[in-house]
Amino acid sequence: MKTIAELETKLAQPSEALIQDLAKVDGDLILLGVGGKMGPSLARLAMNAIREGGLNKRVIGVSRFSNQEARAELEAFGVETISCELLDNEALTALPNAANVIYMAGNKFGTTGNEHFTWAMNTYLPGRVAEKFKDSRIVVFSSGNIYPFTPVSSGGASESVSPDPLGEYAQSTLGRERIFEYHSHRNGTPMVMYRLNYAIDMRYGVLLELARAIHEGRAINIAMGFANVIWQGDANSMALRCLTHCSSPPSVINITGPETVSIRWAATELAKRLGKEALFEGTESETALLNNASKSHQLFGYPSVSLLQMIDWTADWVLQGGATWNKPTHFQERKGKF
């Protein structure tokens, strides 16, 4: 992939399995928080699946849309857009109903010093959304950050591991789940808690951060010595396919790649492709924030894009000076401060 257009095309390629799963769920889709990192590509993926499957569904994208260019691009692709401040209860109530909701709204970075806003977005707003869409299916974007650190040899935290969130972002994210869960019990709303870490495309993500550090001659801190990654196209596809697994009480599904990725190994592989030396500082800890996604692989199959393919693509992107977003993952964070 050499251009943004090629990247967007790749991200929006639907699998036959996705098309078949969307055909199983009745009604339109509304994507709340569509303006974030994953939202635009998820919306385009959904539109392509609907078109290729000959399905009769609308895709409605809701966001503040501070970036009007991004909004225009979505509309040109066939996505209906609505500008909405979701914390404005009157504006939220005025949104159209839809049978299928993908809830991506939330706040992570900038939490420190602005904790009240993070809690409002991550814990107060979910209750209002759950009331508004109580008759819908809801896939709730959550995070593997709510799990405790696990030994790097453990295979990561499965859905059976009790949450033990570190820091206010992770605590408020668990709060998001609990508020949705309450409304699912109260109203019988079918839901999935979609616990993700870490999605990547060429413009952001763990591999890009490693590649840029290597390319710029900066040392990589390896105290958080292991992580999980998944191609954003696969993560988006699984989010849409989760609509077929919504239940009350909610289902919980971890989403990430199958590997427990050594940061040292991944950086060394990237360095080979970049023609540089990987520099490291610190020592790998015995624990890491790791997500075991075996359940999602049983439900949806393994991701279509392999780890080595992601490494190849990321190195090529950095070498050619491809566009990037200033949206670091802070995957190295071990104290829960975002």
Side-chain angles (χ1 to χ4, degrees), residues 1-327:
M1 289 178 289
K2 303 298 182 185
T3 66
I4 294 292
E6 290 175 348
L7 170 58
E8 295 288 5
T9 297
K10 178 63 179 176
L11 286 168
Q13 287 178 345
S15 65
E16 186 58 35
L18 171 59
I19 294 169
Q20 290 176 2
D21 276 353
L22 282 184
K24 295 175 185 176
V25 295
D26 60 289
D28 300 327
L29 285 78
I30 191 165
L31 315 180
L32 303 180
V34 75
K37 288 186 293 189
M38 295 178 67
S41 59
L42 190 149
R44 285 187 286 266
L45 176 65
M47 285 300 306
N48 277 343
I50 288 166
R51 289 182 181 124
E52 293 186 25
L55 308 179
N56 182 25
K57 297 181 187 296
R58 301 156 63 206
V59 176
I60 304 165
V62 179
S63 174
R64 295 187 191 95
F65 286 115
S66 55
N67 185 339
Q68 289 301 310
E69 182 180 351
R71 182 179 187 179
E73 290 173 355
L74 284 175
E75 290 179 345
F77 208 82
V79 178
E80 301 175 35
T81 66
I82 300 173
S83 180
C84 177
E85 171 53 72
L86 291 171
L87 283 171
D88 180 335
N89 195 57
E90 186 175 334
L92 173 63
T93 303
L95 290 175
N97 292 319
N100 305 288
V101 178
I102 308 292
Y103 182 82
M104 295 179 283
N107 191 64
K108 180 176 183 179
F109 303 116
T111 290
T112 301
N114 198 28
E115 291 84 357
H116 63 280
F117 177 72
T118 293
W119 281 91
M121 284 296 297
N122 292 352
T123 308
Y124 167 74
L125 178 58
R128 309 306 304 141
V129 169
E131 277 295 317
K132 163 67 179 176
F133 294 101
K134 66 184 180 192
D135 297 320
S136 305
R137 302 176 194 87
I138 307 178
V139 174
V140 178
F141 268 52
S142 185
S143 171
N145 280 77
I146 70 173
Y147 288 123
F149 287 8
T150 58
V152 297
S153 61
S154 70
S158 70
E159 293 85 352
S160 64
V161 172
S162 296
D164 187 12
L166 178 64
E168 294 213 34
Y169 160 67
Q171 291 165 10
S172 67
T173 300
L174 178 59
R176 174 196 298 154
E177 288 198 11
R178 294 301 189 223
I179 295 299
F180 271 115
E181 183 181 10
Y182 165 76
H183 285 274
S184 177
H185 280 272
R186 178 185 178 191
N187 298 320
T189 306
M191 301 180 183
V192 164
M193 302 302 165
Y194 171 99
R195 294 178 179 170
L196 170 68
N197 63 313
Y198 289 99
I200 74 159
D201 76 16
M202 303 300 93
R203 295 162 294 190
Y204 81 99
V206 173
L207 297 180
L208 175 66
E209 291 167 32
L210 296 179
R212 290 183 67 178
I214 294 163
H215 196 58
E216 296 165 10
R218 292 183 282 112
I220 297 166
N221 188 312
I222 54 172
M224 186 78 84
F226 296 83
N228 307 116
V229 297
I230 184 170
W231 174 244
Q232 182 172 295
D234 286 316
N236 284 341
S237 179
M238 291 179 187
L240 291 166
R241 294 182 68 190
C242 278
L243 289 166
T244 64
H245 295 278
C246 291
S247 63
S248 178
S251 302
V252 177
I253 304 179
N254 290 349
I255 303 291
T256 197
E259 300 93 352
T260 297
V261 182
S262 161
I263 298 300
R264 186 187 294 272
W265 174 84
T268 301
E269 289 297 312
L270 285 162
K272 292 176 185 175
R273 292 156 175 79
L274 294 168
K276 304 264 186 169
E277 180 183 0
L279 306 176
F280 303 102
E281 61 183 17
T283 303
E284 290 95 334
S285 301
E286 295 182 356
T287 62
L289 182 66
L290 296 170
N291 188 331
N292 186 317
S294 299
K295 177 180 176 180
S296 67
H297 302 151
Q298 181 183 37
L299 294 173
F300 307 127
Y302 284 109
S304 66
V305 177
S306 69
L307 175 58
L308 281 178
Q309 182 67 80
M310 288 187 277
I311 287 173
D312 287 342
W313 284 345
T314 302
D316 286 344
W317 195 261
V318 169
L319 283 172
Q320 69 187 2
T324 60
W325 295 333
N326 185 27
K327 295 182 177 180

